[in-house]
Each structure stands twice: as C-alpha cells, then as structure tokens.
C-alpha cells in the first residue's frame, strides 16, 4: 500500500524573504517527523516537493506505512511548532488534496463510500483517489475506517483464501482399531423416525431424539460447565442489527445470517386485502406478505454470545465482579448453510451450549485453560472418544470479515481452538473430511470489550472468552463412534440411561416411513430398554 497527497497549509501571514531560512529548517523537521517511529525510514513518509505561495505552503508527500491522514497531521503539527515558536506564524487551515491510495493487485471498492472520488483498477494495481479532505475530515473515524478497510482488502487480495489456518495441537490415541460401527447416525435417526425433516436444515426432534441429545448435553454441563463455576443465564435469540454491527457479524457473515422483520402495523384491519386473499386462494405469496412487513431490523441468534457483550456494554466493572462466568443453553442458533446442509450435522437451526466469560487477561486465559482441560477429560475419559484439537483462524475474525496473517500461534494469546471428533462412517482418520468440528473455545482479547465499551473501574484491560458446544454434532459424533447399543457406551451414559428411562418412540401406521426404518426403530428400542 502506498499513499500520496498534497498537503496545503494556510498560514496566518504571507512569508517574506527573511522567513526562508526558518522555513527550510521547518521543512527539514517535517521530513523527520514523517519517519518518526519507523525502524525503517522507507516505511514512513517523505516529502516529494514543496513550494510556498503567499500565505500557502504546498507540500507533496508520499508514504508507505504511515497513513496519509496521519502524515498530513504530522506535517501540520510539525510546522505549527517550528514556525510558531520561531516566526510566530500560525496555521489557519490545512487541506489534503489529490490524496490517493495505491494497492498492489486488483481490489473491489465502491465509489459510493464516503471520501472515495474515483478508482483506477488494473490487475496489477488499484488506485483510489480521495476527495479533498479538511482538518475535520482528517480526524474523522469514518476516514480511519475507510483506510483500514482498504488495508484489509489489500491483505485479503494478497493472501486470498490462505488466511485459513489449522494446526494440530493434540490428538487422542486410537481407541477403535476396528471401529465399533460404520453406520451413519444421521440416516438411522431419520429412518427410524426419531427426527423428521421440518424444512431445509431444520428438524423436529421427537421425545426420544430429544432425550438422546439432552443426555449428552446434560452430562457435558454436569461434568464440565458446572464444576468450573459457570452459572446459567437466558440470552435473547433475536438481535437488533446494531448488535451485529458491533460484533462484526454483519460485515463478515451476512451471507449466512437469517433476518427477521416486524409487521408494519399492529392493526389487523390494515392486512385485510392480504388476509382475504389467503382465505380465498389458500396461498401465502411471500412477495405479498413482504409488503406488510418492515425492513429486517433483527437477525436471529448467530454466535449466541452476542447478548453477553451487550449486557456488559457501557458498564464499569470492578475487581469483585470479575471474572463473570455464565452459560446459555436456552434456544436455537441459525445459520443459513446454502448447499452445505447435511443430516443433523450441518443444519440451519441448531442447538448449542454457549459458555462465556469476562475478566482480566490472565483470568480469561486461566479460565480457558481450565475449560480446555475439562473438555479433554470429557472427550477422552467421560465419553471415551477419538478426538483432536487444533489451533484455527479465530472464528471472530472469520466472522467479522477481517483478515490478518496468522503467524506462529501462542496459545495464551487471543485465538480459537476447535474440537473435532472422528466420524468412522465417513472414512479413514487420515482424511480431513472424516472429522467433525463439534465445538470450539476462544479467547477474544478486546475484540468485543472495545466496541461494546466494557470497562474496568481502574482502567485495567478486560478480555472475553467463549466456547460453543453444538448439541446435535456431539450426539451425531458420539453415535458415529459408539453406535446405538448402550452396551458399548461409557459408564456415565449407561448410568444416565438407568436413572432416566427413555420416552416412548413414535410409531404409527405410516411412520416410520419404511420397513427398514421400522426395523431400525425396533432395534433401537430393544437396545435402550435392555
Ligand atoms: N460463539 C462461538 C461461535 O459462534 C462459539 O459458539 O463459534
Ligand atoms: Zn461465542
């Protein structure tokens, strides 16, 4: 990225012959100020040429790492000091003219954005010409965000899809030299009628399916979440757009979010034309319904931890109130997965236990470490499965659309660890596709405490962390490795089964649909009632 622009300074008076020496010194000082703080002066800014004209000083500058807005302000501040102290010349005004940002490669950017005047793009280079900027503009966060956006786009263009990062941290020993089963539990659950497809990526979980899902979830809460001191809260499940703006989701994942609209009015009479039409024609055309709705003001629960940051947003916390350790399991999350939907593994509506915490950096890291240990024990001993964990591109970066090159990882810095379980029905352990991500655990640093302004009363930096346990996915992966026969399940689950008798299955004349399905159901019932 390179910047260029002309800084036009209006002085409090015209310069005379006797000011020239001081002026030349002042320009020298401007040059120095432009490289201040850069180890390699090439990274800073430099003066390409300058001239003085009556009351004006016109200085053309270019820079690499030093943003052009900051470069212009450095020019002003330096001149203010040198000319003010030595010649009592003040600075009336500053303008940045013909500013441009040059980026290697081709990036796409809209001319509708504020301050963007025009764009020249070729496959090698993109040049963004900016409007003339006054001092007020130079200090605006909008300009800062525009320049940040450009630098992210440049990074993205340079790294392409390569910013995705996956690095194995730990893996369990091989536990099933010969897999206990190679059955696809998604198929069994559907065929035996434990779940029925409601709509794309959405299922109805009959009491027996709900029982199985709750079983794994309850054991997780009992073995991992509660012993570590997390307490339950209930978070809302539809969020105002503003929340998604702050978390970054609206920027990064708008393509997979589900939105909600309120009706335009509460007065049912105003719907009469539509309600009469639906009565007579017995159809509900979405395009007609849309006419009676407001624009979408909400999106449906996406990451599930958003309301936690909102709750502490704008508040001052003190030492006695941190760390805060909560979890929410109160409702579904929604992700539109387009073509990727499969069984219960990849759905649009899913259930999750979301564990969240807030505290000082060392507290947040310690809680993550405790949680990590408890997860490992849960996978390795409690459920006794084949698992692995990896350091990945943090979900909150992926989900905010921001990019950064992932360097060597440091586990105590912000980042995400994914948990994956082996799905024998998919194939061998060596194939990446045979592993299912069932959960993750993250340290966010200040990614959310900053935009939501969560502050400590003594100014200590606050961090957050969160961890998601995808209920459907844990169940599927558990069944994929251990099958449906409780004889082959670990003791905790067998105990759960004996303490909590499973509910009756659903069987009707026409359900489950197929002969195989009915046989499957008989088999499952026999297993569970043993
Ligand atoms: N909120 C985190 C995520 O969306 C953990 O569930 O991945
Ligand atoms: Zn979260």
């Amino acid at each position: 990225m390179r910047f260029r622009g002309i800084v036009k300074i209006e002085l409090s008076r015209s310069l005379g012959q006797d000011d020239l020496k001081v002026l030349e010194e002042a320009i020298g000082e401007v040059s120095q100020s432009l490289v201040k703080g850069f180890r390699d002066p090439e990274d800073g800014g430099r003066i390409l040429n300058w001239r003085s004209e009556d009351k004006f000083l016109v200085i053309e500058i270019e820079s690499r790492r030093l943003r052009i807005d900051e470069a212009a302000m450095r020019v002003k501040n330096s001149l203010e000091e040198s000319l003010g102290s030595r010649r009592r010349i003040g600075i009336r005004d500053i303008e940045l003219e013909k500013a441009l940002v040059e980026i290697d490669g081709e990036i796409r950017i809209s001319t509708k954005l504020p301050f963007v005047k025009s764009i020249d793009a070729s496959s090698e280079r993109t040049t963004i010409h900016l409007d003339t900027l006054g001092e007020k503009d130079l200090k605006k966060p909008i300009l800062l965000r525009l320049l940040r956006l450009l630098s992210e786009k440049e990074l993205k263009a340079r790294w392409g899809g390569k910013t995705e990062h996956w690095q194995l941290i730990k893996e369990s020993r091989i536990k099933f030299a010969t897999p206990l089963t190679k059955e696809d539990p998604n198929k069994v659950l559907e065929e035996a009628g434990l779940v029925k497809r409601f709509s794309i990526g959405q299922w109805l979980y009959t009491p027996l399916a709900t029982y199985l899902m709750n079983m794994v979830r309850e054991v997780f809460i009992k073995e991992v979440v509660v012993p570590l001191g997390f307490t339950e809260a209930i978070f809302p499940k539809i969020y105002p757009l503003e929340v998604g703006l702050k978390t970054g989701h609206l920027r990064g994942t708008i393509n997979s979010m589900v939105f909600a609209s309120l009706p335009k009015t509460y007065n049912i009479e105003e719907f009469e034309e539509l309600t009469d039409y639906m009565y007579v024609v017995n159809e509900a055309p979405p395009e007609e319904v849309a006419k009676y709705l407001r624009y979408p003001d909400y999106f449906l629960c996406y990451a599930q931890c958003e309301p936690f940051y909102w709750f502490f947003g704008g508040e001052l916390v003190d030492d006695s109130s941190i760390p805060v350790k909560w979890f929410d399991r109160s409702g579904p999350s929604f992700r539109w997965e387009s073509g990727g939907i499969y069984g219960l593994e990849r759905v649009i509506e899913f259930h999750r236990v979301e564990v969240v915490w807030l505290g000082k950096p060392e507290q947040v890291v310690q809680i993550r470490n405790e949680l990590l240990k408890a997860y490992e024990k849960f996978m390795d001993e409690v459920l006794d499965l084949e698992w692995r964990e990896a350091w990945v591109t943090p979900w909150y970066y992926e989900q905010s659309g921001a990019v950064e090159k992932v360097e060597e990882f440091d586990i105590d810095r912000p980042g995400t660890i994914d948990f994956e379980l082996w799905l024998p029905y998919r194939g061998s352990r060596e194939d990446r596709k045979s592993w299912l991500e069932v959960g993750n655990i993250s340290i966010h640093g200040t990614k959310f405490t900053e935009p939501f302004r969560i502050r400590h009363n003594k100014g200590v930096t606050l961090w957050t962390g969160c961890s998601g346990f995808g209920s459907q996915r844990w169940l599927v992966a558990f069944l994929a490795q251990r099958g449906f026969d409780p004889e082959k399940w670990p003791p905790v689950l067998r105990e759960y089964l004996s303490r909590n008798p499973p509910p009756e299955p659903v069987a009707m004349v026409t359900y489950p649909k197929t002969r195989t399905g009915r046989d499957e159901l008989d088999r499952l019932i026999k297993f569970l009632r043993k």
Side-chain angles (χ1 to χ4, degrees):
M1 199 151 170
R2 282 170 302 278
F3 300 99
R4 205 154 7 113
I6 297 170
V7 185
K8 197 169 168 191
I9 305 268
E10 187 184 345
L11 303 169
S12 55
R13 66 165 170 82
S14 299
L15 297 168
Q17 277 300 323
D18 50 347
D19 297 313
L20 279 186
K21 198 166 159 278
V22 169
L23 181 59
E24 270 171 22
E25 280 168 21
I27 294 291
E29 282 166 29
V30 168
S31 291
Q32 282 167 22
S33 81
L34 291 175
V35 293
K36 215 168 149 191
F38 291 95
R39 215 179 293 153
D40 179 357
E42 288 279 303
D43 284 341
R46 64 191 186 99
I47 295 178
L48 294 174
N49 57 66
W50 65 277
R51 65 196 148 87
S52 78
E53 247 175 51
D54 307 326
K55 282 166 78 176
F56 291 95
L57 256 181
V58 183
I59 306 175
E60 186 167 13
I61 52 175
E62 74 169 10
S63 72
R64 267 177 30 191
R65 290 254 161 116
L66 181 66
R67 282 197 329 267
I68 191 72
D69 56 324
E70 208 193 309
M73 290 311 292
R74 284 192 187 189
V75 172
K76 184 201 167 206
N77 294 338
S78 171
L79 287 173
E80 203 154 47
E81 203 180 304
S82 51
L83 297 181
S85 63
R86 278 171 242 161
R87 306 299 294 172
R88 294 188 173 273
I89 301 172
I91 287 176
R92 285 271 160 78
D93 199 13
I94 166 176
E95 260 184 5
L96 178 62
E97 292 176 347
K98 300 205 166 87
L100 60 84
V101 185
E102 213 173 68
I103 290 173
D104 287 335
E106 194 172 5
I107 62 152
R108 277 172 31 170
I109 180 100
S110 161
T111 45
K112 287 193 190 130
L113 286 169
F115 304 126
V116 175
K117 193 163 132 199
S118 64
I119 295 152
D120 299 324
S122 72
S123 55
E124 275 125 59
R125 191 168 303 137
T126 310
T127 309
I128 299 105
H129 301 270
L130 303 180
D131 293 331
T132 297
L133 302 162
E135 180 162 4
K136 270 204 199 118
D137 301 323
L138 291 171
K139 291 182 177 161
K140 274 188 190 153
I142 290 200
L143 179 67
L144 186 71
R145 289 196 294 261
L146 172 70
L147 296 173
R148 209 184 284 149
L149 174 72
L150 293 174
S151 103
E152 280 179 15
K153 288 205 179 220
E154 183 188 42
L155 254 182
K156 215 179 225 168
R158 179 147 14 119
W159 296 105
K162 283 181 279 188
T163 48
E164 203 198 324
H165 184 88
W166 189 97
Q167 195 167 340
L168 187 68
I169 302 177
K170 242 188 215 181
E171 59 190 331
S172 71
R173 62 182 169 80
I174 289 180
K175 300 188 173 183
F176 310 108
T178 323
L180 295 178
T181 171
K182 283 200 166 179
E183 231 168 20
D184 176 351
N186 298 288
K187 286 202 176 121
V188 178
L189 289 165
E190 185 179 12
E191 260 174 19
L194 269 66
V195 295
K196 186 174 182 180
R197 191 189 305 273
F198 181 68
S199 181
I200 304 162
Q202 255 189 318
W203 297 87
L204 187 149
Y205 304 85
T206 65
L208 192 50
T210 307
Y211 171 91
L212 293 174
M213 217 154 81
N214 282 345
M215 170 181 76
V216 181
R217 191 175 77 156
E218 294 299 321
V219 172
F220 171 71
I221 290 173
K222 187 167 154 269
E223 299 280 334
V224 176
V225 181
V226 172
L228 289 179
F230 290 91
T231 48
E232 185 165 6
I234 295 181
F235 293 163
K237 292 292 173 288
I238 80 173
Y239 311 148
L241 294 184
E242 191 201 321
V243 170
L245 202 56
K246 284 198 176 141
T247 59
H249 289 108
L250 275 180
R251 270 193 65 201
T253 54
I254 192 161
N255 59 322
S256 61
M257 288 158 78
V258 184
F259 292 85
S261 293
L262 295 178
K264 277 185 183 159
T265 166
Y266 187 67
N267 181 2
I268 185 83
E269 280 160 23
E270 290 183 40
F271 291 83
E272 208 161 351
E273 220 179 283
L274 176 66
T275 49
D276 290 353
Y277 179 87
M278 292 190 294
Y279 188 106
V280 175
V281 183
N282 198 24
E283 261 175 24
E287 64 279 14
E288 287 304 313
V289 175
K291 290 180 189 159
Y292 294 80
L293 302 181
R294 295 187 207 175
Y295 291 122
D297 282 324
Y298 299 92
F299 64 98
L300 306 192
C301 171
Y302 190 84
Q304 205 175 330
C305 45
E306 300 94 330
F308 180 69
Y309 318 124
W310 166 87
F311 178 81
F312 290 96
E315 307 288 356
L316 269 189
V317 300
D318 53 18
D319 274 326
S320 65
S321 51
I322 47 175
V324 183
K325 297 161 84 174
W326 291 358
F327 71 98
D328 168 72
R329 54 160 153 186
S330 69
S333 297
F334 295 85
R335 263 175 218 199
W336 185 58
E337 299 274 7
S338 183
I341 290 157
Y342 179 72
L344 269 59
E345 284 170 31
R346 217 174 157 89
V347 283
I348 292 179
E349 182 180 285
F350 62 99
H351 293 80
R352 159 169 62 184
V353 181
E354 179 77 5
V355 183
V356 283
W357 60 103
L358 162 74
K360 297 184 205 176
E362 60 275 17
Q363 291 173 324
V364 168
V365 173
Q366 193 197 329
I367 292 166
R368 193 280 316 270
N369 290 346
E370 289 167 3
L371 201 55
L372 187 59
K373 238 170 106 187
Y375 260 106
E376 287 171 3
K377 185 170 169 237
F378 180 69
M379 295 186 288
D380 210 53
E381 294 170 28
V382 179
L383 295 189
D384 199 4
L385 299 171
E386 286 198 26
W387 56 274
R388 63 186 192 186
E389 63 192 38
W391 185 257
V392 298
T393 312
W395 69 263
Y396 46 88
Y397 279 130
E398 264 178 359
Q399 296 184 0
S400 68
V403 256
E404 64 159 36
K405 190 172 168 271
V406 188
E407 308 286 351
E408 269 301 289
F409 79 87
D410 169 357
I411 203 160
D412 288 338
R413 289 233 313 262
T416 294
I417 294 168
D418 269 1
F419 299 107
E420 299 184 348
L421 297 177
W422 179 38
L423 300 179
Y425 84 83
R426 291 242 194 115
S428 76
R429 296 176 189 81
E430 287 66 47
D431 188 350
R432 248 195 95 170
K433 288 199 207 86
S434 308
W435 293 81
L436 182 65
E437 188 215 325
V438 288
N440 60 24
I441 173 168
S442 297
I443 297 176
H444 316 126
T446 58
K447 167 80 187 165
F448 301 116
T449 50
E450 255 168 32
F452 285 91
R453 294 181 192 283
I454 309 176
R455 284 163 306 150
H456 183 275
N457 63 337
K458 299 220 173 95
V460 179
T461 302
L462 293 174
W463 280 11
T464 57
C466 82
S467 170
F469 171 100
S471 305
Q472 278 87 343
R473 288 188 170 192
W474 276 90
L475 175 65
V476 167
F478 173 79
L479 294 170
Q481 287 191 29
R482 296 229 153 234
F484 285 85
D485 182 357
E487 295 267 315
K488 295 177 183 156
W489 290 2
V492 243
L493 295 191
R494 285 207 305 271
E495 275 161 34
Y496 184 96
L497 200 63
S498 61
R499 272 201 319 272
N500 308 279
E504 287 299 314
V506 184
M508 303 173 273
V509 182
T510 52
Y511 194 88
K513 292 271 170 261
T514 61
R515 184 64 212 255
T516 350
R518 265 170 274 168
D519 293 345
E520 292 281 11
L521 184 60
D522 288 343
R523 179 174 67 111
L524 296 189
I525 293 305
K526 246 181 241 140
F527 278 153
L528 296 174
R529 295 232 171 102
K530 250 198 285 201

